[in-house]
Amino acid sequence: AQSVTQLDSHVSVSEGTPVLLRCNYSSSYSPSLFWYVQHPNKGLQLLLKYTSAATLVKGINGFEAEFKKSETSFHLTKPSAHMSDAAEYFCVVSPGSYSSASKIIFGSGTRLSIRP
Amino acid sequence: DAGVIQSPRHEVTEMGQEVTLRCKPISGHDYLFWYRQTMMRGLELLIYFNNNVPIDDSGMPEDRFSAKMPNASFSTLKIQPSEPRDSAVYFCASSFIAGGPSEQFFGPGTRLTVL
């Protein structure tokens, strides 16, 4: 069975300060892990994904995430927040091998707010 | 490519009316997904297709919901009759393959309000 937990429903940071969005997962497989971003009134867009290659994954807009198997975590970070980063972020877990899409699990989302 | 296209972007209807949502996936993608997003339930997978064939519709809430994919470039999600609790944002997404490391490409969504 798989599950994903986003530990914070809302995170607020000041512009220019680091961002940390936390995600823990549970999987019986070697999972693929994703972070998607959703800006207001938009669809979800892929930020980055982990697929059993390098454990530190770099994505778009300066975001990166580190896969830590021992901690079952895949936290999303960015060194310096920008106002345009304000959005909802979703952590997603999927079986590592190609299989049913029904096994893809979306987290509940973390709303990131940026203070000027 | 223009990405996944959904129409309409907004729909307001009265309870009991039929609602049809439309989706055009990215050309060449073999998989198409319909999701519903609400504050209470988050993002829910309703149904997905592979090569125009429905593979898993276990997420469809009830018989009032139906989805079709008559060809590789078009899908519909229909609600008949609609109810206020169907109010949500409905997303269509497509991908090359299902599951695994495959990224899904999402459309902009249709915001449905049932009065």
Side-chain angles (χ1 to χ4, degrees):
Chain A
Q2 296 193 127
S3 67
V4 60
T5 302
Q6 291 185 241
L7 298 164
D8 307 293
S9 59
H10 182 214
V11 170
S12 179
V13 302
S14 297
E15 190 175 19
T17 65
V19 174
L20 170 63
L21 305 184
R22 299 182 294 165
C23 173
N24 286 111
Y25 71 92
S26 165
S27 179
S28 306
Y29 316 88
S30 295
S32 293
L33 294 159
F34 306 77
W35 277 99
Y36 284 82
V37 60
Q38 183 181 25
H39 287 95
N41 302 312
K42 303 281 189 182
L44 279 70
Q45 178 188 13
L46 182 71
L47 265 183
L48 50 80
K49 66 179 179 182
Y50 165 78
T51 58
S52 74
T55 56
L56 183 62
V57 182
K58 294 188 183 299
I60 62 172
N61 301 333
F63 283 94
E64 62 182 38
E66 186 171 7
F67 174 72
K68 292 187 176 180
K69 187 175 181 179
S70 60
E71 299 177 11
T72 60
S73 70
F74 190 57
H75 301 335
L76 182 70
T77 60
K78 182 173 180 177
S80 177
H82 191 272
M83 294 301 291
S84 61
D85 295 328
E88 187 93 13
Y89 291 79
F90 294 90
C91 183
V92 181
V93 62
S94 174
S97 59
Y98 301 117
S99 63
S100 168
S102 306
K103 294 185 172 66
I104 299 172
I105 306 295
F106 283 77
S108 55
T110 297
R111 183 164 60 91
L112 176 63
S113 299
I114 312 296
R115 300 186 299 271
Chain B
D1 200 317
V4 176
I5 299 172
Q6 290 188 248
S7 64
R9 292 293 310 275
H10 302 273
E11 176 81 32
V12 180
T13 190
E14 293 189 347
M15 183 174 64
Q17 297 298 305
E18 177 180 297
V19 175
T20 299
L21 312 181
R22 297 174 177 80
C23 175
K24 176 179 167 52
I26 292 173
S27 177
H29 283 187
D30 292 331
Y31 287 83
L32 182 139
F33 308 82
W34 281 102
Y35 290 90
R36 177 172 68 176
Q37 185 180 41
T38 61
M39 290 290 291
M40 292 296 294
R41 294 173 171 267
L43 202 61
E44 303 173 275
L45 177 65
L46 300 177
I47 184 171
Y48 77 97
F49 296 82
N50 174 216
N51 291 326
N52 315 336
V53 176
I55 301 301
D56 186 344
D57 65 354
S58 59
M60 296 285 262
E62 49 199 273
D63 292 345
R64 296 185 297 107
F65 285 69
S66 62
K68 294 182 180 179
M69 192 166 186
N71 57 62
S73 59
F74 183 66
S75 176
T76 60
L77 178 68
K78 187 174 294 187
I79 308 172
Q80 166 64 14
S82 58
E83 296 183 3
R85 60 191 167 126
D86 302 330
S87 296
V89 181
Y90 291 81
F91 288 102
C92 176
S94 68
S95 70
F96 288 109
I97 48 179
S102 177
E103 170 188 357
Q104 292 187 24
F105 294 80
F106 284 76
T110 296
R111 182 174 297 276
L112 173 65
T113 303
V114 183
L115 303 174

